[in-house]
């Protein structure tokens, strides 16, 4: 799906699954490349449905890169598109962006609206992502009890396995901050299993960070430094 000779119709129809595969392999650059190609091809073809999905995916990429201006622009374009076409897909990128911006009055409203709409339409992935975004928001604000509750819901979801995995670092952080040590260690075991198939620095950096949170003293210090060393060369910033 990254190759130029892949037919446009295949990229538009199945590109979202290629993006999901890249994410499941912790291949951030492949995810970025596939979603960016989807956007270009969908615009050229006037394929508004695939364009909406690709815009939200690219907004998530931009948010994780710390480029909130680009992410907001992509989200605004998608909002205009969904209003024009009456599309009903959860605003994945918008949820992630507002969570990392730490805007509870905006993010909480969007999370609940996404949960309600996604539940009604049977879009389990949208519900899972909304709960994960809520965990990010509350951890960022120091509301760790609320973050733990939201992370548990995202972790336990059946739909969207990679988002359930993304929720584990939020659960581990919230659990360590609320004294739920056993739950934090259980989450760490699950996250280690979920990243055992890759050596991607994104995954290994997050795993080191999660291990640091449940460690003490010099061990924690060494693991935090490992996380920094692994994540610093990547494009991930938040």
């Amino acid at each position: 799906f990254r190759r130029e000779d892949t037919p446009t119709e295949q990229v538009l129809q199945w590109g979202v699954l290629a993006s999901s595969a890249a994410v499941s392999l912790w291949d951030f650059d492949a995810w970025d490349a596939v979603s960016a190609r989807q956007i270009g091809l969908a615009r050229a073809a006037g394929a508004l449905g695939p364009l909406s999905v690709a815009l939200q995916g690219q907004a998530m990429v931009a948010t994780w890169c710390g480029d909130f201006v680009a992410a907001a622009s992509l989200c605004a374009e998608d909002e205009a598109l969904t209003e024009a076409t009456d599309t009903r897909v959860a605003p994945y990128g918008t949820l992630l962006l507002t969570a990392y911006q730490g805007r509870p009055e905006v993010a909480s409203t969007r999370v609940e609206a996404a949960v309600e709409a996604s539940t009604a339409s049977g879009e389990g992935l949208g519900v899972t992502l909304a709960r994960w975004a809520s965990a990010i928001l509350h951890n960022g604000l120091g509301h760790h009890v609320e973050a733990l509750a939201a992370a548990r819901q995202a972790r336990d979801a059946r739909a969207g396995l990679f988002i359930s995995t993304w929720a584990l670092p939020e659960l581990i952080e919230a659990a360590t901050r609320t004294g739920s040590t056993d739950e934090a260690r259980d989450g760490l075991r699950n996250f280690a299993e979920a990243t055992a198939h890759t050596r991607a620095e994104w995954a290994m950096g997050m795993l080191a960070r999660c291990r640091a949170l449940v460690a003490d003293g010099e061990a924690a210090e060494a693991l935090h430094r490992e996380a920094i060393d692994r994540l610093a060369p990547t494009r991930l910033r938040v």
Side-chain angles (χ1 to χ4, degrees):
F1 281 86
R2 297 179 67 175
R3 293 200 309 263
E4 292 297 324
D5 60 348
T6 305
T8 296
E9 60 271 17
Q10 287 190 20
V11 176
L12 295 181
Q13 184 172 7
W14 304 111
V16 65
L17 295 184
S19 294
S20 297
V23 167
S24 297
L25 293 170
W26 300 87
D27 190 337
F28 190 83
D29 290 335
W31 178 25
D32 182 18
V34 171
S35 64
R37 184 157 188 243
Q38 280 181 281
I39 289 175
L41 293 177
R43 281 178 175 154
L48 301 184
L51 177 57
S52 176
V53 174
L55 286 168
Q56 288 292 336
Q58 195 68 9
M60 293 178 71
V61 169
T63 296
W64 253 328
C65 288
D67 192 348
F68 289 2
V69 173
S73 177
L74 290 161
C75 291
E77 181 181 353
D78 180 63
E79 185 176 348
L81 182 65
T82 55
E83 287 181 2
T85 60
D86 197 31
T87 304
R88 290 290 178 265
V89 178
Y92 299 95
T94 302
L95 289 168
L96 185 64
L97 175 62
T98 53
Y100 273 121
Q101 287 175 321
R103 301 163 60 195
E105 68 286 350
V106 176
S108 296
T109 299
R110 286 178 172 168
V111 163
E112 293 310 313
V115 169
E116 182 178 349
S118 296
T119 301
S121 65
E123 188 184 349
L125 191 64
V127 176
T128 306
L129 189 136
R131 296 305 189 197
W132 168 58
S134 181
I136 292 171
L137 171 72
H138 288 299
N139 267 333
L141 296 173
H143 304 160
H144 300 301
V145 172
E146 294 86 346
L148 183 56
R152 284 169 178 161
Q153 291 176 310
R155 174 203 60 191
D156 293 340
R158 293 180 180 272
L161 294 180
F162 60 88
I163 295 178
S164 300
T165 298
W166 287 345
L168 290 171
E170 301 302 325
L171 182 143
I172 293 164
E173 179 177 352
T176 58
R177 299 291 187 264
T178 56
S180 303
T181 306
D182 289 343
E183 187 168 8
R185 294 188 183 281
D186 286 342
L188 176 59
R189 281 192 290 272
N190 292 334
F191 192 70
E193 291 173 0
T195 55
H197 64 283
T198 181
R199 299 302 298 173
E201 296 291 12
W202 176 14
M204 295 297 94
M206 291 301 297
L207 179 59
R209 186 245 187 192
C210 290
R211 284 174 170 159
L213 288 172
V214 300
D216 297 307
E218 293 183 3
E221 174 73 8
L223 287 163
H224 278 302
R225 290 186 178 277
E226 179 187 346
I228 292 170
D229 290 342
R230 287 186 177 277
L231 291 171
T234 73
R235 296 163 54 210
L236 295 135
R237 290 295 171 266
V238 294

